[in-house]
Amino acid sequence: MHRAVLSLAALLGSLLLCLCLAWLSADGSSGARGWEKELRATTAESSPRVMMMMMRSLRSPTAPLPRPPTGSLAPNRTPSNQTGTQKSEQVSKCKETWNNNWSSSIKKKRYSEDYYLQIVGKLQNCTWKKRPQEYAKFRSELTSCCDAIHNFISSQNNTPLGSNMSYEVDNKKTIHITEEIFKMLPESQPLDYPFKQCAVVGNGGILKNSNCGAEIDKSDFVFRCNLPPTEGSVSQDVGNKTNLVTVNPSIIAQKYNKLNEKKATFLENIASYGDAFLLLPAFSFRSNTATSFKVHHTLREFSAKQKAIFFYPRYLKNLAQFWRTKGVKAYRLSSGFMITSAAVELCENVKLYGFWPFSKSIAGNPISHHYYDNQLPKPGFHAMPKEYNQILQLHGRGILKLQLGKCHTE
């Protein structure tokens, strides 16, 4: 009887030791062989029959693995800790991506599409988070140089009657602010800032099949560029809401014959923008002035809901100088980049959609230049990749958010 008790105790002790060893060792045949070796050493005094039964149990592919005991000896292997470690590693990778992109933006003079696509591919896996301190710092920089709050739009406050105002690009030329011109201008800045949530909608082909329309329309203020279409099937991707849309005078000249004809077509096409502001660069080039003024007069003549307003040339000149110091050296900034800069000053939160100056997606699929056509810009006129690099920096620093893929639908 005494011998049987001792044998049973030895058997239980051996089994317990085997279970502990099985938990601590790695999976696979090498681990099983290790258990067998340890088993032979610790059960030498057990009966051969008992030992064979235990060996068969360990070798059997259907034998269940022992469950880890409560208070596991390897706490770092728990799912929660693994998740925490993975998140920490991902944050570190994201920070490294942003830092590398920031430093390379200073060193590099030319950028390939593949260079950007590689960066964007990495950023897509990073969780964006607004950084209030970075936002406040950058906003302060913009305000010091450009002051969109007071100078984004030409107004009677910043454009005195009887003064001679210099053009933005044709800066050696001036325009005399007559009473007629003065009356075209709003008394002060017409935008009722600050806005809580702003959407700046570019026209990139990346918007196709994005399902971003509903999200865009939920914004408090929506900026758009160059009279893009928003009605019909495209609205699901780009939305309908428009509070301000820029107007390139070349569109008025080419599509509407400078409004010498086709006024009805023009008014019909812009009806989709509701009571939006139409923002024109009347004082950037001397050749833009007459066409921009014609838009203003046409809207007044037909009592249209929309109102024509004009960029303040000094604001655009200062803004170009600001970005030039950061490496964006182009003949002229794109209108999308201009209003993005203004939005940072005028809005508490800024999100960009449809900003994609590349001919393919991250997966290498072809993407049209615009979501409505594939008409390319004049070469050398804008520094689109350089602008996009700065937008990536602003996204990475938590100043604004760039929509990098499709929008999630509820």
Side-chain angles (χ1 to χ4, degrees):
M1 181 69 179
H2 180 67
R3 183 178 295 175
V5 171
L6 288 176
S7 178
L8 181 59
L11 177 60
L12 290 174
S14 300
L15 183 58
L16 180 61
L17 179 59
C18 288
L19 289 175
C20 291
L21 288 168
W23 171 244
L24 290 172
S25 66
D27 292 339
S29 59
S30 61
R33 286 194 294 271
W35 300 342
E36 292 172 10
K37 186 176 180 181
E38 192 68 32
L39 183 62
R40 291 190 186 97
T42 57
T43 60
E45 297 181 1
S46 301
S47 67
R49 184 180 176 192
V50 171
M51 186 168 156
M52 287 299 294
M53 289 173 64
M54 292 172 65
M55 295 284 284
R56 284 174 187 158
S57 175
L58 283 171
R59 285 176 178 159
S60 171
T62 59
L65 290 174
R67 292 184 179 180
T70 304
S72 169
L73 295 175
N76 290 334
R77 297 183 183 181
T78 59
S80 61
N81 283 332
Q82 283 181 348
T83 302
T85 302
Q86 290 171 354
K87 284 184 178 179
S88 178
E89 290 176 353
Q90 187 62 41
V91 169
S92 179
K93 287 180 181 178
C94 291
K95 187 176 289 187
E96 183 181 357
T97 298
W98 293 329
N99 289 340
N100 288 344
N101 188 32
W102 181 258
S103 61
S104 67
S105 70
I106 300 172
K107 298 174 184 176
K108 282 201 171 193
K109 291 184 178 180
R110 299 193 62 144
Y111 300 83
S112 67
E113 283 198 353
D114 291 337
Y115 166 79
Y116 283 106
L117 293 174
Q118 185 180 19
I119 292 173
V120 174
K122 292 178 180 178
L123 290 180
Q124 275 190 321
N125 298 320
C126 299
T127 301
W128 185 87
K129 184 178 180 181
K130 184 176 179 180
R131 299 180 184 177
Q133 290 184 337
E134 287 283 345
Y135 168 77
K137 179 182 176 183
F138 184 73
R139 192 179 190 182
S140 178
E141 285 182 49
L142 275 174
T143 301
S144 296
C145 92
C146 310
D147 192 9
I149 292 172
H150 298 102
N151 293 324
F152 181 42
I153 307 300
S154 294
S155 69
Q156 294 179 0
N157 282 348
N158 58 29
T159 310
L161 175 64
S163 63
N164 292 315
M165 184 166 64
S166 297
Y167 282 90
E168 174 211 343
V169 183
D170 295 338
N171 51 31
K172 292 183 179 179
K173 298 176 182 177
T174 61
I175 180 169
H176 183 67
I177 305 302
T178 63
E179 187 172 353
E180 181 184 0
I181 295 174
F182 189 72
K183 287 180 178 179
M184 292 185 196
L185 309 179
E187 291 184 10
S188 59
Q189 295 299 296
L191 306 184
D192 190 19
Y193 75 94
F195 305 106
K196 182 75 175 177
Q197 181 69 44
C198 290
V200 181
V201 186
N203 297 330
I206 195 73
L207 275 173
K208 282 183 181 179
N209 302 314
S210 66
N211 290 319
C212 288
E215 185 175 305
I216 290 170
D217 286 346
K218 288 179 182 177
S219 305
D220 299 309
F221 199 91
V222 179
F223 298 86
R224 297 186 189 271
C225 305
N226 294 331
L227 301 180
T230 59
E231 289 188 316
S233 59
V234 298
S235 64
Q236 182 177 347
D237 297 324
V238 306
N240 294 118
K241 185 175 182 178
T242 305
N243 299 100
L244 181 149
V245 57
T246 65
V247 182
N248 191 324
S250 64
I251 296 175
I252 304 299
Q254 295 166 12
K255 194 172 181 179
Y256 302 106
N257 192 25
K258 297 183 179 181
L259 295 178
N260 294 321
E261 300 173 4
K262 302 183 179 180
K263 288 183 181 180
T265 304
F266 170 71
L267 293 168
E268 182 180 342
N269 289 346
I270 66 169
S272 60
Y273 302 129
D275 59 356
F277 291 102
L278 270 55
L279 177 57
L280 300 109
F283 308 121
S284 292
F285 298 89
R286 196 170 185 176
S287 58
N288 287 350
T289 305
T291 303
S292 299
F293 286 178
K294 194 67 175 286
V295 171
H296 173 89
H297 293 312
T298 300
L299 295 178
R300 284 286 184 90
E301 179 185 353
F302 290 90
S303 301
K305 292 181 179 179
Q306 302 79 23
K307 294 180 181 178
I309 54 177
F310 310 124
F311 277 109
Y312 186 49
R314 191 180 301 169
Y315 169 80
L316 294 182
K317 194 181 298 184
N318 291 340
L319 187 66
Q321 180 58 34
F322 172 83
W323 285 114
R324 197 172 289 117
T325 62
K326 298 184 182 298
V328 184
K329 299 175 182 179
Y331 182 67
R332 196 158 184 266
L333 299 176
S334 69
S335 55
F337 202 50
M338 291 173 184
I339 59 176
T340 294
S341 303
V344 172
E345 285 196 71
L346 301 172
C347 310
E348 295 179 17
N349 300 283
V350 179
K351 188 167 182 181
L352 271 55
Y353 303 83
F355 279 71
W356 192 262
F358 310 115
S359 63
K360 59 185 177 181
S361 67
I362 294 173
N365 299 320
I367 290 183
S368 60
H369 187 66
H370 297 136
Y371 66 83
Y372 49 87
D373 66 31
N374 197 32
Q375 185 176 345
L376 301 177
K378 293 179 182 178
F381 200 75
H382 300 309
M384 299 299 258
K386 287 277 191 178
E387 290 184 359
Y388 195 72
N389 184 57
Q390 291 297 327
I391 288 171
L392 287 177
Q393 303 303 335
L394 296 176
H395 174 92
R397 291 167 61 191
I399 294 168
L400 55 73
K401 186 174 183 180
L402 173 64
Q403 181 65 31
L404 294 169
K406 294 186 177 182
C407 293
H408 298 292
T409 54
E410 296 180 0

